[in-house]
Amino acid sequence: MANIIQKNRSRAFSHQKGKCFYCRAPMWQSDPSQFAQSYGLTLGQCRGLQCTAEHLHARQDGGDNTSSNIVAACLRCNGRRHQKAKAMEPDRYLNYVANRLRKGGWHQQIIRAQIQL
């Protein structure tokens, strides 16, 4: 099962041109060092920008591991969406993240400046 999720995550990463489905920040898949160097970030700052497989319809709610249900999302966006007992619907969460970004929030200010969100 993990191989299917990894394969679909990589497909989504390529399809989304390496950008998070929610915040549109660039992400890394396998080499945080190279990513950090490319954007002038520390490894610690890169942690939240790791690419994860985000199930639009959660597995616990009957979602599956198909490519149509998996998008690539940064660790921060994926984790924040699932902090509450009931995750926000993807469209609602997308709007929530967009509003936070417009107000200058979401990713730390230094990361925002370096990657020009």
Side-chain angles (χ1 to χ4, degrees):
M1 179 166 49
N3 289 336
I4 292 169
I5 294 171
Q6 290 169 351
K7 185 176 180 181
N8 286 333
R9 181 195 66 214
S10 290
R11 272 192 195 141
F13 181 87
S14 294
H15 179 74
Q16 295 166 213
K17 298 181 179 11
K19 304 236 177 186
C20 176
F21 180 78
Y22 297 111
C23 71
R24 306 302 301 152
M27 301 178 291
W28 59 274
Q29 285 194 98
S30 59
D31 188 358
S33 300
Q34 185 177 18
F35 183 87
Q37 188 174 16
S38 295
Y39 288 97
L41 300 170
T42 67
L43 289 176
Q45 291 170 326
C46 291
R47 173 92 174 103
L49 296 170
Q50 181 179 3
C51 180
T52 65
E54 164 71 332
H55 289 79
L56 297 173
H57 185 72
R59 288 183 290 178
Q60 68 186 23
D61 297 329
D64 56 23
N65 293 323
T66 60
S67 60
S68 62
N69 190 45
I70 293 177
V71 295
C74 70
L75 184 65
R76 179 177 175 85
C77 287
N78 194 341
R80 286 270 174 119
R81 179 173 173 230
H82 297 284
Q83 277 184 333
K84 298 186 179 188
K86 177 74 173 144
M88 272 190 222
E89 291 298 317
D91 291 342
R92 185 170 173 224
Y93 189 68
L94 189 61
N95 289 331
Y96 172 77
V97 172
N99 286 334
R100 292 289 307 270
L101 286 166
R102 273 193 292 278
K103 293 176 182 177
W106 205 243
H107 290 287
Q108 296 171 5
Q109 189 174 8
I110 191 165
I111 294 173
R112 290 175 50 84
Q114 292 296 101
I115 60 177
Q116 300 175 352
L117 283 177

